[in-house]
Amino acid sequence: NASLVGILQHPDGTVLKQLQPPPRGPREQDFYNKVYDSDCCDSVLLELREYLPKYFGVWSPPTAPNDTYLKLEDVTRKFNKPCIMDVKIGQKSYDPYASAEKIQQQVSKYPLMEEIGFLVLGMRVYHVSSDSYETQNQHYGRSLTKETVKDGISKFFHNGYCLRKDAVAASIQKIEKILEWFEGQKQLNFYASSLLFVYEGSCQATTVRLSDVTLAEKRGMPKGLLSGGDILEYNNNIRVINSTENGKIEASVSKGLSKFYALHKKAYSKRHHSQLSLKVENLEQGNVWKSSTCITQEHLNGNVIPQLEKVFCHMPADIKENANVEVRMIDFAHVFPSNTRDEGYIYGLKNLITVLKNILDN
């Protein structure tokens, strides 16, 4: 199925995105080549790099030299429990050269695109209480209306205990930078392209620099391995790589990846029993709640987490370190040269910012 293009995590910290069939795949490859050309001196394109995953050229497995993959930065890699959302941006998700059938097909998928200007394609949210992920596929986003889209998106920022307003605020700032870029350029128009949002879902990954509140995890895991399970959701190529599928995919990509996944699984199960050392102070009241114990991950579901949540979810904004949030543009199979501003994309970004601000103000 051409729409299920694999996103594979590579041990070197990149992801491999299989090139789609022509004309889409070559168009996306040309886009990356143009933006990342070493001779590029166009300030508009140079700034655009800040908002994309880094691009490392193309790669083909030795066993299948005709299969081409884009080698891209894995934006989720630095996160311990990455929460990921993929939002398609723009009022039209078909490009100017689309056939009548293609237009009809795209419009019927989400008739509200013109009015709302964006569509949630998938999300994966870490719930602190259950130490597990909740995943929504593209049917979730397509069920959202003007009335429910705010609650639909706020779900991405809710960890089972509280709304991560820090992550919402940081996301708004990042989108505003991208909006500024769009308002200043007239050379590219983007259709069916997405924003990828990632924020840190785990409290342990944060060290809050306060006199007596430190919370650091002794990471029982090699740096180069991803901790969030082997899944990443993308735009028109949503593909969830789970462990049973891994075998099939690895074999076709390269022998080396199999070793990596085997190692990953081993490290992951070992890590699950890693010790956490916690020392937390409840800042809200004058009374001091302290815990300096070593506990295993399994016990985190007991009493400790609500106490941590008091610290992390109700801490004054200026004390929290800047929320660890990434917002990157992805999926460029329908990017075209232009001589006008991309009004459809700008409309989508502005409306998304409005929705996120409403979530903050609630």
Side-chain angles (χ1 to χ4, degrees):
N1 178 350
S3 68
L4 289 179
V5 183
I7 297 281
L8 299 169
Q9 288 165 330
H10 193 283
D12 64 7
T14 61
V15 289
L16 298 170
K17 176 184 179 179
Q18 191 163 17
L19 216 58
Q20 298 173 66
R24 291 175 300 163
R27 205 185 288 130
E28 181 159 37
Q29 186 182 346
D30 289 346
F31 169 80
Y32 276 114
N33 284 337
K34 181 180 175 177
V35 175
Y36 283 93
D37 184 342
S38 55
D39 296 330
C40 173
C41 52
D42 177 339
S43 60
V44 168
L45 297 184
L46 291 173
E47 189 194 333
L48 178 59
R49 292 179 186 179
E50 294 174 38
Y51 312 123
L52 311 186
K54 288 191 191 69
Y55 171 63
F56 303 100
V58 292
W59 178 86
S60 296
T63 48
N66 296 330
D67 287 354
T68 307
Y69 292 80
L70 298 170
K71 208 165 171 3
L72 301 165
E73 170 190 7
D74 180 354
V75 180
T76 69
R77 186 182 194 217
K78 66 178 183 185
F79 296 89
N80 179 21
K81 298 287 184 190
C83 299
I84 303 167
M85 177 170 65
D86 179 343
V87 183
K88 190 192 280 193
I89 306 288
Q91 290 177 283
K92 296 180 169 69
S93 53
Y94 52 88
D95 67 50
Y97 304 95
S99 64
E101 297 91 311
K102 179 68 178 174
I103 293 174
Q104 176 51 43
Q105 180 222 354
Q106 284 298 324
V107 171
S108 65
K109 269 189 180 174
Y110 194 57
L112 292 169
M113 196 76 184
E114 191 85 31
E115 193 182 356
I116 294 177
F118 62 84
L119 165 63
V120 176
L121 289 171
M123 66 172 72
R124 174 171 184 260
V125 187
Y126 178 68
H127 280 191
V128 188
S129 42
S130 55
D131 185 28
S132 63
Y133 281 96
E134 183 184 350
T135 304
Q136 302 292 348
N137 65 16
Q138 48 192 324
H139 300 292
Y140 173 78
R142 291 204 291 241
S143 73
L144 298 177
T145 64
K146 247 177 92 165
E147 289 68 43
T148 60
V149 70
K150 177 182 157 209
D151 290 340
I153 283 193
S154 67
K155 195 181 189 68
F156 174 62
F157 295 99
H158 207 288
N159 63 12
Y161 276 114
C162 66
L163 182 66
R164 288 284 307 275
K165 288 197 168 189
D166 58 326
V168 181
S171 298
I172 292 169
Q173 286 179 341
K174 303 246 168 171
I175 303 169
E176 283 175 338
K177 294 284 292 173
I178 294 172
L179 175 59
E180 273 177 42
W181 181 84
F182 269 91
E183 292 185 319
Q185 70 89 23
K186 289 184 170 184
Q187 52 179 289
L188 293 169
N189 281 5
F190 294 73
Y191 301 90
S193 183
S194 278
L195 288 183
L196 184 72
F197 291 79
V198 191
Y199 72 87
E200 180 55 72
S202 97
C203 284
Q204 300 94 291
T206 328
T207 300
V208 179
R209 291 190 186 91
L210 285 172
S211 54
D212 207 34
V213 181
T214 63
L215 171 62
E217 180 174 359
K218 296 186 177 115
R219 299 186 70 128
M221 184 169 207
K223 276 275 184 293
L225 299 182
L226 262 139
S227 51
D230 321 322
I231 151 179
L232 198 43
E233 301 184 14
Y234 276 101
N235 189 4
N236 36 18
N237 37 330
I238 282 200
R239 161 68 138 176
V240 173
I241 301 173
N242 60 30
S243 32
T244 49
E245 271 181 318
N246 264 348
K248 275 179 271 181
I249 298 169
E250 279 153 20
S252 70
V253 172
S254 87
K255 298 269 170 11
L257 276 177
S258 323
K259 283 199 196 100
F260 162 59
Y261 279 110
L263 183 63
H264 174 123
K265 287 198 196 84
K266 224 187 316 189
Y268 195 59
S269 55
K270 209 161 63 201
R271 174 179 186 284
H272 220 72
H273 302 281
S274 72
Q275 298 277 300
L276 295 183
S277 86
L278 295 180
K279 188 180 176 209
V280 176
E281 207 174 276
N282 184 346
L283 303 170
E284 290 185 311
Q285 302 91 15
N287 73 329
V288 173
W289 174 85
K290 272 188 183 167
S291 150
S292 266
T293 48
C294 260
I295 51 178
T296 59
Q297 208 122 21
E298 290 88 298
H299 294 124
L300 264 183
N301 299 342
N303 279 336
V304 183
I305 282 188
Q307 300 287 354
L308 295 187
E309 288 302 319
K310 283 194 181 130
V311 175
F312 282 96
C313 293
H314 306 293
M315 197 176 284
D318 53 315
I319 292 181
K320 279 188 200 174
E321 289 181 21
N322 288 338
N324 203 359
V325 174
E326 286 287 351
V327 179
R328 302 290 183 94
M329 298 169 61
I330 56 167
D331 289 325
F332 305 113
H334 303 275
V335 177
F336 293 87
S338 162
N339 48 25
T340 61
R341 290 202 326 173
D342 190 339
E343 297 298 349
Y345 200 107
I346 288 172
Y347 175 93
L349 288 181
K350 285 183 171 172
N351 203 29
L352 182 54
I353 290 170
T354 300
V355 170
L356 290 170
K357 285 184 171 166
N358 285 338
I359 292 171
L360 264 194
D361 297 340
N362 207 16

